[in-house]
Amino acid sequence: MSIQVSRLTKRYGRQLAVQDVTFSVKPGEIVGFLGPNGAGKSTTMKIITGYLPPTSGTASVMDMDVVNHPMKVKRSIGYLGEHNPLYHDMFVHEYLNFAASLCGLRSTQKRTRVSDMIGLCGLEAEQSKKINALSKGYRQRIGLAQALIHDPAVLILDEPTSGLDPNQLIEIRKLIKAVSANKTVLFSSHILQEVKALCDRVLVIHHGSIVADDKLDNLMKGGDRTLTVAFMEDVNIDLLRQIPGVTSVKPDGRGKFLVMTSSDIDIRPRIVSWASANNLSLLEIKLEEHSLESVFSQLTQQETKGE
Amino acid sequence: MLHIFKKEFNGFLDSLIGVAVVVVFLIAIGLLTWVFPETSVLDYGFADMETLFTLGPFVLIFLVPAITMRSFAEERKLGTLEWLLTKPVSEGSIVFGKFLAAVCLVIIALIPTITYYFTLSYLGDPPGNIDTSAVIGSYTGMVLLGAVFCSIGIFASTLVTNQVVSFMLAAFLCFFFYAGFDSAAALTNDGATALLIKQLGIQYHFESMSRGLIDSRDLVYFAGVMGIMMLSAKTVLSSRSW
């Protein structure tokens, strides 16, 4: 396993940040780590990088325990922190050289890696500028470049796209996709489209516990589906409820109805035939895509109610 | 460790902190040694470097904390300390690298004052009449004292995130270690206790070296204080309790 976390718990004083978290990431997998702010994503990642010690439980990277072999683990991890801390008064190439030296790269190897990373992350034109003169998008590229400088087997990216404009977002996403070809990536975010675009598997964490760990497609399957239906005429809502497969109907307040259905069966034909049988003119019928957002909010809200 | 040293030292030069420290030190010491009548060697009439070695430490009490106040306080504030600690480098080598860079800057500030030695040696009557071994001892003492101040400053910097607080804490600790114990010794009438307290301070050992005798006990004292300070700094970093 590239990353193995078992029964991990972290307390900050009295506050429980991460509680009994267990998951593993196989080599070559790209895993999205989802959760609302403050759910424990960053804490879990910091423990995996060996920066924070766990209160209990274990974490290992490339089958090496992070507490017992911190140096070996740090050598095999590339980490991009949440706020992407950089030395703002350093030049780009100077900073990357420094990062490479810290990772133990020497002379020729260091030179080739630094110039490779500058090329890969599209920093050629900016390499002789000071970091504080660069935009957020470029800083994020520098952050990625330094995380990749020693060609680590495991990449840990903590919200790599937060605070970027839509164009930069797409560029950074492309870059992550490109560099992650033969690496294991654990990637945190609360932007759901991003996870959709990048990840094979999703871990959802809420209040310090894992509430879902599954393939993206599986998560999007099942559960309730919603149809938006609109008629020209006034409709008796109770008659609408009697259509087989409908679990509940709510007016949305603008003359439309939100029809909930529990099954995977498409009930649209039934509604259409029901409408013609009752001499109603159907204006609109739309099946809401079962979105990651709804799965996410369901998962994280259920948990809150359960407490 | 060398990468940290190089990065820190370049940082001093890039940010003008290094230049400012050297210039301020030399101007202050130059004025005290040659211009201000109360402390000027020319008015004093003896060809010795007393002024440099009695007032130099007080100038360093303010300058060394200015060098070291950023070292960890700023890194912690910017979050780069977290970044550094996720790299395969030990806390100890980060502390030592930063310490070494600060010491180098202090030594660079001291080097130009060696010209004072030649000037005074020329001014002596007959020329060359100067206590060379005392000067060598004093310089060794000054470097060691500067190094101890650096270790104190680095330790203070690991404790806080605010540079100003870090500066004040370091200046206070440096002053206390330099002169505090000496003054505290006056509180007791018991000679043996007073001596013991004095020996805890830097001044006692510095003065002993200034006489031109480099005693291993003094060296052990300086090395000990530096070791304790850097070990404490490393412990603070390892605890991640900020």
Side-chain angles (χ1 to χ4, degrees):
Chain A
M1 284 296 160
S2 280
I3 302 172
Q4 175 77 52
V5 172
S6 63
R7 305 194 59 96
L8 194 74
T9 298
K10 176 74 189 174
R11 280 173 192 282
Y12 293 114
R14 275 191 187 167
Q15 198 194 343
L16 198 60
V18 172
Q19 189 180 6
D20 207 15
V21 163
T22 301
F23 66 88
S24 60
V25 183
K26 289 194 218 70
E29 225 176 354
I30 304 181
V31 173
F33 202 21
L34 276 173
N37 287 332
K41 300 187 296 275
S42 295
T43 304
T44 310
M45 288 182 146
K46 282 176 186 174
I47 294 171
I48 297 171
T49 60
Y51 170 69
L52 284 179
T55 309
S56 70
T58 57
S60 60
V61 174
M62 308 300 283
D63 299 318
M64 293 173 291
D65 189 87
V66 295
V67 178
N68 299 328
H69 305 284
M71 288 300 154
K72 281 186 188 163
V73 166
K74 285 171 187 178
R75 251 177 234 124
S76 53
I77 284 183
Y79 172 60
L80 172 59
E82 190 177 3
H83 304 292
N84 186 20
L86 298 166
Y87 293 105
H88 287 196
D89 50 0
M90 279 176 115
F91 294 98
V92 174
H93 63 88
E94 184 189 12
Y95 173 74
L96 291 178
N97 267 307
F98 178 53
S101 311
L102 288 179
C103 294
L105 300 185
R106 295 281 168 269
S107 55
T108 340
Q109 200 191 5
K110 182 164 85 176
R111 267 198 301 278
T112 35
R113 281 306 291 177
V114 169
S115 64
D116 284 357
M117 284 310 109
I118 284 175
L120 181 67
C121 299
L123 291 163
E124 290 97 341
E126 323 292 327
Q127 60 174 307
S128 302
K129 287 187 186 164
K130 282 209 171 180
I131 292 174
N132 59 13
L134 297 178
S135 68
K136 187 138 197 221
Y138 275 113
R139 289 186 193 178
Q140 216 63 22
R141 288 166 186 234
I142 299 169
L144 266 178
Q146 66 78 22
L148 288 162
I149 199 101
H150 54 302
D151 198 17
V154 176
L155 261 185
I156 295 188
L157 309 173
D158 197 352
E159 296 191 9
T161 54
S162 69
L164 297 179
D165 73 34
N167 290 334
Q168 293 170 330
L169 211 85
I170 291 165
E171 283 172 23
I172 292 290
R173 246 181 244 170
K174 266 190 204 152
L175 191 55
I176 292 172
K177 192 86 185 166
V179 298
S180 60
N182 48 3
K183 295 191 189 309
T184 309
V185 184
L186 181 65
F187 167 102
S188 90
S189 178
H190 47 231
I191 305 172
L192 299 154
Q193 294 89 344
E194 191 161 284
V195 176
K196 223 170 170 176
L198 287 170
C199 303
D200 313 327
R201 211 178 99 207
V202 188
L203 290 169
V204 183
I205 188 168
H206 187 57
H207 287 307
S209 310
I210 300 276
V211 292
D213 175 358
D214 209 342
K215 286 251 189 304
L216 207 51
D217 303 337
N218 294 345
L219 273 185
M220 314 254 294
K221 260 192 250 154
D224 293 345
R225 289 182 158 207
T226 309
L227 289 148
T228 311
V229 186
F231 300 96
M232 189 118 86
E233 299 83 4
D234 287 336
V235 174
N236 187 344
I237 197 163
D238 291 323
L239 288 174
L240 202 53
R241 283 200 183 102
Q242 280 160 17
I243 301 172
V246 171
T247 46
S248 71
V249 179
K250 280 189 296 200
D252 79 340
R254 285 168 297 179
K256 293 180 187 177
F257 297 96
L258 296 175
V259 180
M260 310 285 270
T261 163
S262 59
S263 60
D264 284 335
I265 313 156
D266 196 348
I267 60 158
R268 280 177 294 183
R270 289 183 197 168
I271 294 177
V272 175
S273 51
W274 176 81
S276 59
N278 289 283
N279 283 330
L280 295 168
S281 329
L282 192 60
L283 292 178
E284 184 186 334
I285 180 161
K286 196 171 85 192
L287 180 65
E288 301 288 333
E289 262 307 308
H290 200 54
S291 67
L292 197 49
E293 273 85 355
S294 63
V295 176
F296 181 75
S297 59
Q298 260 172 33
L299 282 168
T300 51
Q301 276 161 19
Q302 272 166 12
E303 191 68 11
T304 320
K305 278 180 206 156
E307 271 174 12
Chain B
M1 196 273 295
L2 269 177
H3 318 299
I4 305 274
F5 165 76
K6 239 169 75 185
K7 189 235 143 208
E8 282 297 300
F9 197 72
N10 283 336
F12 287 144
L13 302 184
D14 283 347
S15 63
L16 290 177
I17 290 181
V19 181
V21 163
V22 172
V23 168
V24 168
F25 179 76
L26 290 177
I27 291 176
I29 287 295
L31 287 174
L32 289 167
T33 313
W34 305 106
V35 183
F36 295 159
E38 275 178 14
T39 51
S40 162
V41 180
L42 303 173
D43 285 294
Y44 184 45
F46 287 96
D48 69 18
M49 295 174 73
E50 248 333 271
T51 314
L52 172 62
F53 296 123
T54 49
L55 296 175
F58 287 99
V59 178
L60 287 184
I61 282 174
F62 289 101
L63 280 186
V64 171
I67 301 173
T68 57
M69 65 180 188
R70 297 171 74 209
S71 55
F72 284 100
E74 195 184 53
E75 295 237 23
R76 189 182 295 179
K77 198 166 210 166
L78 293 176
T80 46
L81 189 59
E82 181 192 318
W83 176 78
L84 212 51
L85 291 169
T86 55
K87 295 283 159 199
V89 276
S90 67
E91 287 95 352
S93 62
I94 298 173
V95 171
F96 197 66
K98 284 177 181 272
F99 164 75
L100 225 54
V103 174
C104 270
L105 194 60
V106 171
I107 292 174
I108 287 173
L110 279 173
I111 285 172
T113 64
I114 292 175
T115 54
Y116 298 4
Y117 169 75
F118 294 105
T119 313
L120 286 167
S121 165
Y122 174 74
L123 288 173
D125 184 22
N129 184 15
I130 188 167
D131 189 349
T132 306
S133 58
V135 170
I136 293 172
S138 298
Y139 265 112
T140 317
M142 275 292 258
V143 170
L144 288 172
L145 172 121
V148 168
F149 285 177
C150 289
S151 68
I152 292 173
I154 297 241
F155 168 61
S157 189
T158 57
L159 294 176
V160 291
T161 46
N162 186 306
Q163 292 188 41
V164 178
V165 178
S166 157
F167 174 85
M168 291 196 295
L169 186 64
F172 170 76
L173 284 176
C174 287
F175 176 77
F176 186 78
F177 267 85
Y178 182 68
F181 284 107
D182 238 40
S183 311
L187 290 173
T188 168
N189 291 323
D190 178 21
T193 319
L195 182 66
L196 196 73
I197 296 173
K198 265 190 181 177
Q199 281 174 338
L200 289 173
I202 297 170
Q203 201 166 18
Y204 176 86
H205 300 275
F206 180 61
E207 277 170 2
S208 137
M209 286 188 116
S210 300
R211 289 193 284 270
L213 186 74
I214 298 179
D215 192 328
S216 58
R217 280 174 296 183
D218 299 327
L219 295 181
V220 167
Y221 169 82
F222 282 115
V225 178
M226 279 183 248
I228 290 169
M229 287 299 161
M230 280 192 278
L231 215 63
S232 313
K234 183 191 168 287
T235 312
V236 174
L237 287 190
S238 307
S239 75
R240 312 264 201 283
S241 60
W242 53 76

